[in-house]
Each structure stands twice: as structure tokens, then as C-alpha cells.
Amino acid sequence: RNEDGVVDAVDTTLGYRNGIIESLDRYAKVHGRLVFAVSRETWETANGGSYQQVVTGAIRPSRDDAAVRFEATEEELREITTDMFGDSQTWFETESLTGDAFMDQVNASLAEGGDASFTAPASYEAVPFGAPGAYDYYQRPVFANMTFTNVRVPKGMNPLFESCTFVGVTYVETNTDCDHENWNYAGALELVDGDYVLKFPYIYAEDAGGTIPDTKVESNSVRFQDCTFLGSVAGDKPEEYAHWRNKIQFTGNTRFYLDPDDDEVAEQDDGATLVALLNGLSAADRQELAKSSILMPGWSVDVGNFANEQAADPEDTPTVRLRGTIVAGILDVRGTADVFGTLLMTFRPVANAGPLFYGGLPDAFNTTIGYFGPADGDGEGSDPDDAGFEGFGEITLRYDPDARLPDGIPWPISCAPDVSTYAEGGG
């Protein structure tokens, strides 16, 4: 389009809104390449057809790469597991211990007055928040309009943070010994005739300490609504993926910033305050925090809302900006977001094990980028075919070749010789 503010025949000639996606749109679903560990025959047998029919949309690789490659080696396409991250959280956990205790920071915010408030648990909230089908309900304490610095969220709190600011590391605690088959379900609730009752009244879970009738008190399901993060979110590494219990949800207008010289920070209504807080972080700390906006191996992480919240002018729609190596057990990103770095998911579903102990389909445990309905394997998500569906938003994933991985992740190192830096010869 020629950006004159009017969609007319000139724009249609340029390929804008002419009713079809074609070469004039310079469109590609993937700018890059697709790499598969299995052989082409194995993949096509499992998926019931040629990959060229199953994988729809244009792929635009760089000049020296093939669009698709099968039978990649383990060094080229490494399998990511939760166990790989045994030491990756060390700096984040250590940094979180430098802040005051959680309730001390809460009381300090309340003592300052202003809009800070605390509300004891009262009404029940569905989890996932805003999903058409909830699998559990929580009573959350609500902390609003508070500022936390290098804070640890105690296990069993299951809080809701509203319009809070988090500086440095926000570390979420949980009981990591959560591999019992009933960990997801012990204490789960359902809504029956207006009452919240136990969904599975006769089951319990176990850990090394004994019997646990309600695993909510040993885990952490946290929702951040309209919160600002001047740093990173990290947490304990659970031994098993338990998405009913160890879950993080970022809803509303979520902001991640780290660079005090970022133009977008200055444009915010509270930009001066944010810049001052960011300048309070040392350059060394910002360098470590830049490795990962979210470092939650083994956790279920939701970014964005099930209902897309789009401003009248798309340019004004708040964008969740994630940087570095984003790590989760399974990650869902919806709405409007920009990821500049790498996504690493650590949970590999196996039939009849972990959260699938009592059955279910492994392909229901997928990373969702955008909006997919039940027919596409996303049992939590809205159905794009519904009349009330509000649109897809916009999500960009951009690889950062200069990003630094969090410590402790075993990854191959490549070295490229620079022939201009060395020469042999006599005088």
C-alpha cells in the first residue's frame, strides 16, 4: 500500500487487500527454515501425508539454506529437557535472595500509602484465566499497585498481582518434588450448581514428606495483571510438569523493559519513574537479566489473553516484549507480542506418564503461538470459528544471533576463523 490513508485501486495493484496472498505481498509464514530430527518417510507416515501438503504456507530461507531438512543430527537439533537447566537459575535465585522478604516488601508498599492495597482471598478465579474451559479454581490474595525488588513469591501463595512493578528478579517458589501422579488433581475444584466442590474428593498426592490432600499449598499458580517487569521472572525447577499447579499467567497490559535508554520506556506515562528504577540496576545485573525475560523450566506459562485486546489504532496496542532465551515447560503466547531471542520448551509429553498418567493425548500438550481452537489441539483456547472471536493479534518471533544463553545449558560452541587476524611471514 502507498500509505496515503485511503485503500483504492493503487493499493490493490500493489497487492494490498486484493483478496489473495501472493508474491506481491512478499508474504512468508516462516522466514528461515524447518528442520526435522526424523526422516521424511517417518514424519509423513505419522502425519498422514506429504509435508508439502501438511505444512501449509510459504517458507523463505536464506540464500544458502534449504527450506526443509530431515534427519538432522543431535548436534544440529538438540533435544531440550528440564534436567538441562539444573544450574541455569543459580544467578537468578542468588539475586532474588538479596531482596527483603516478600511480606516485608508488601508492608513497605502499604506504609507508603498511595494506591497500594492488599485484599485477602475471597472469590474464586478460573484457571486458566479467561479460558472457555477451566480445569481448576483458585482463591487468590490480591496485591495491587506495589513495587517489589528482587522478590521471592512463597510457595502456596497462588497470588494475583495487579498493576505492580517488579525490579530485578521475580522468583517463584514451589515444591519441586511434584512427580506423584495425583499432583495436578489433589485439591482441584469444580463448579456444580453454583457451589465449588472437590473434583476428585478421594485422591491425594505424596512427596518425600508424606501425604498431601491439597497440592495448591505446595505449589504456585500466579497471575500478573497489567504488571511491569524491569528484569526477569524465574523460579524453582519442578521435577515434573504439573500445569494445574505450577503455572504463570501474564494478562492485560504486560510490560518488560531492561534498557533505561529504550525510547519506548521514555514514551510511557510513568517513563521517568521506570528510567530511574532501571538506572538503579547495575550494568552487570542488567547483562545477566538480559539472558532471559522468563526462565521457568518445567512450568506452564501463558503470555497474553484468550480474548485479543486490540486498540482502535493497531499501532497503539500494547506489545509484550520478551528478550533473551525464553524457557518454559510449555509456553502459550496470544494477543500482541514480540519475542527477540529464542524459545526453549522443556516438557516432552509421554503417553501414560506425568500429567498423562490417567490418559490423554500427547499432542494436546503443545506450545501455542497465536490462537488455535479445540480442533487444532488447544483445549484451553478460544475457537477462532466462534462468532464472538475478537481477532488474532500480532506475534513476531525474531532470532537474536548475539543473545547469550543462561548459565549451565549444555550447548555446542562453534568457532569461525577470521583469516584477516593472523598471518605468518618474515621481516
Side-chain angles (χ1 to χ4, degrees), residues 179-182 184-185 240-241 347-365:
D179 57 357
H180 191 271
E181 62 268 21
N182 291 335
N184 266 332
Y185 315 117
E240 181 58 85
Y241 181 74
F347 176 60
R348 182 176 184 176
V350 177
N352 305 316
L356 290 163
F357 181 85
Y358 292 109
L361 299 174
D363 60 4
F365 291 80

Side-chain angles (χ1 to χ4, degrees), residues 51-179:
Y51 84 88
Q52 293 169 312
Q53 295 175 323
V54 177
V55 180
T56 58
I59 302 171
R60 184 167 299 192
S62 62
R63 179 175 300 177
D64 298 325
D65 289 327
V68 177
R69 182 181 174 191
F70 289 91
E71 297 185 77
T73 67
E74 290 186 5
E75 288 301 302
E76 294 172 306
L77 188 62
R78 296 179 67 84
E79 180 180 359
I80 308 300
T81 66
T82 305
D83 293 338
M84 284 185 174
F85 295 84
D87 300 321
S88 61
Q89 298 140 294
T90 301
W91 183 88
F92 292 87
E93 182 172 15
T94 301
E95 185 72 5
S96 72
L97 293 170
T98 64
D100 293 335
F102 178 82
M103 288 308 302
D104 288 343
Q105 296 199 41
V106 168
N107 291 329
S109 287
L110 293 174
E112 292 177 2
D115 296 329
S117 65
F118 164 73
T119 305
S123 59
Y124 286 90
E125 178 179 293
V127 175
F129 179 77
Y135 46 67
D136 204 352
Y137 295 87
Y138 280 78
Q139 286 183 299
R140 301 187 184 281
V142 182
F143 304 90
N145 301 298
M146 298 182 180
T147 298
F148 299 90
T149 301
N150 291 328
V151 69
R152 297 175 69 89
V153 181
K155 74 174 182 180
M157 180 164 284
N158 304 304
L160 166 60
F161 295 100
E162 293 182 342
S163 301
C164 292
T165 299
F166 298 85
V167 184
V169 175
T170 303
Y171 197 89
V172 184
E173 299 177 345
T174 190
N175 182 347
T176 61
D177 185 12
C178 57
D179 57 357

Side-chain angles (χ1 to χ4, degrees), residues 214-238:
D214 185 356
T215 51
K216 289 177 181 175
V217 300
E218 291 291 326
S219 308
N220 236 333
S221 173
V222 185
R223 185 164 72 88
F224 299 96
Q225 172 74 26
D226 296 328
C227 289
T228 299
F229 298 88
L230 308 180
S232 305
V233 180
D236 291 328
K237 181 175 68 68

